[in-house]
Amino acid sequence: MADLVHPARALWWLFEPVHAVTYFQPECRDAFEEAGLRGFWRGYFGGRSAPLGAVDAPPVIAAFFNFAPAMVERALPALWSLASPEEALAARDKGAGAALARLLEHVDREQVEQAVETLEQAAARLDCAGRVLAAANAALPTPTGLYERLWRAATVMREHRGDGHVAALVASGLDGCEALVIRCAMDMRREQLQPVRGWTDEQWDAAAGRLVERGWLTAAGTVTELGRIRHQGLEAATDLAAARVWEDYPRAELDRLAAALKPISALCRSSLPFYPVGLPDNS
């Protein structure tokens, strides 16, 4: 495992692509459509928010954080008339399990079992206080299939880190759109990220203006030294919020987990299209 980054971040780089198969693989899209959630965004919002129950848009706007409220409101609560949360949960387990079984067909099963066992042990030790999405996923019954268990454990870990990241963004005084604008000023592209989060040009430009006023961006839209420092600080806060579960693990055990996850993660990641979470190119 890399020494130049926090262990919590290095492990996130590995389990995030495992979670992400649920959004893009054909088995997952087919499972959501069979459940009645036709169209990418119905599957996304239905599958990801289903652990919360048949919620309306406001809790999901809060939990997902960087989606434009109008985009969430187009999906919720209307999609619950098409599929219940229980049906959405069954569909995401079915789809993710089938997708991972295909993607990891040539990975040694013992290696997958090792990754599952360690991730499940870590997930069971998580403190989910203040982490709504992680807590809701952790409270679900554990699936029986190996690949479904792999996906579920990776998802609990991923949502735990994501909840902590939202807390760090809020503590930094950023709203959902501002968080995206500053990231695009650093190393991502507005034309890729803005449309998939639903913000209008007016909302995006207003957020950029607020960041200019705070000294995070220049008038030309490039990140300032202050902005870079502040962004590094919130990423460090995210690592710290995700670190506690790993603190008692010996380094050798963390290295074994990373070694088990690396080929799994690489195969999952290689199958993904553009996925706007900010993973490094060399993870």
Side-chain angles (χ1 to χ4, degrees):
M1 188 164 56
D3 292 320
L4 299 180
V5 297
H6 196 288
R9 192 182 308 189
L11 289 167
W12 167 63
W13 290 348
L14 295 174
F15 59 68
E16 173 73 37
V18 180
H19 163 76
V21 301
T22 190
Y23 306 122
F24 301 109
Q25 297 307 312
E27 296 91 342
C28 302
R29 298 300 329 130
D30 290 346
F32 282 130
E33 290 193 3
E34 289 172 7
L37 298 177
R38 294 178 176 82
F40 178 88
W41 290 112
R42 287 194 184 99
Y44 179 91
F45 286 114
R48 192 173 174 212
S49 69
L52 302 175
V55 292
D56 205 338
V60 176
I61 292 168
F64 290 15
F65 189 71
N66 61 21
F67 283 89
M71 186 174 183
V72 183
E73 290 164 353
R74 284 195 293 271
L76 295 167
L79 65 80
W80 301 127
S81 67
L82 305 173
S84 68
E86 293 75 18
E87 289 169 331
L89 289 170
R92 71 176 198 166
D93 281 349
K94 176 183 177 182
L100 287 172
R102 172 178 56 83
L103 292 169
L104 306 181
E105 178 183 5
H106 299 298
V107 176
D108 185 90
R109 187 177 177 88
E110 289 187 3
Q111 191 167 10
V112 178
E113 290 172 345
Q114 179 186 349
V116 170
E117 181 179 355
T118 307
L119 281 177
E120 286 183 337
Q121 290 173 351
R125 295 172 57 185
L126 290 174
D127 180 359
C128 291
R131 295 171 170 88
V132 173
L133 287 175
N137 278 279
L140 297 171
T142 301
T144 57
L146 178 64
Y147 298 102
E148 289 85 352
R149 288 170 55 203
L150 172 63
W151 183 83
R152 178 72 64 78
T155 294
V156 172
M157 301 303 298
R158 186 261 175 232
E159 296 291 28
H160 182 274
R161 181 182 176 88
D163 287 338
H165 186 56
V166 169
L169 291 166
V170 172
S172 296
L174 296 177
D175 64 27
C177 191
E178 291 164 357
L180 300 179
V181 172
I182 189 67
R183 190 56 195 263
C184 286
M186 296 180 63
D187 59 3
M188 299 183 77
R189 295 169 58 187
R190 173 178 177 175
E191 58 267 31
Q192 289 180 316
L193 197 52
Q194 181 185 347
V196 298
R197 292 296 182 262
W199 299 99
T200 67
D201 287 340
E202 291 77 14
Q203 291 168 326
W204 190 276
D205 293 340
R210 294 192 295 273
L211 290 169
V212 171
E213 292 176 358
R214 294 179 60 182
W216 289 42
L217 294 181
T218 69
T222 58
V223 65
T224 65
E225 183 62 21
L226 174 63
R228 194 173 298 278
I229 290 170
R230 293 287 188 267
H231 189 270
Q232 290 172 347
L234 70 87
E235 292 294 335
T238 301
D239 291 338
L240 180 62
R244 189 171 181 177
V245 68
W246 304 115
E247 288 175 351
D248 294 333
Y249 279 80
R251 176 56 186 262
E253 191 166 346
L254 292 178
D255 287 343
R256 282 194 295 273
L257 173 59
L261 277 174
K262 190 172 182 179
I264 295 170
S265 180
L267 287 166
C268 291
R269 184 167 178 175
S270 68
S271 72
L272 299 175
F274 167 71
Y275 184 53
V277 297
L279 290 170
D281 289 341
N282 62 347
S283 66

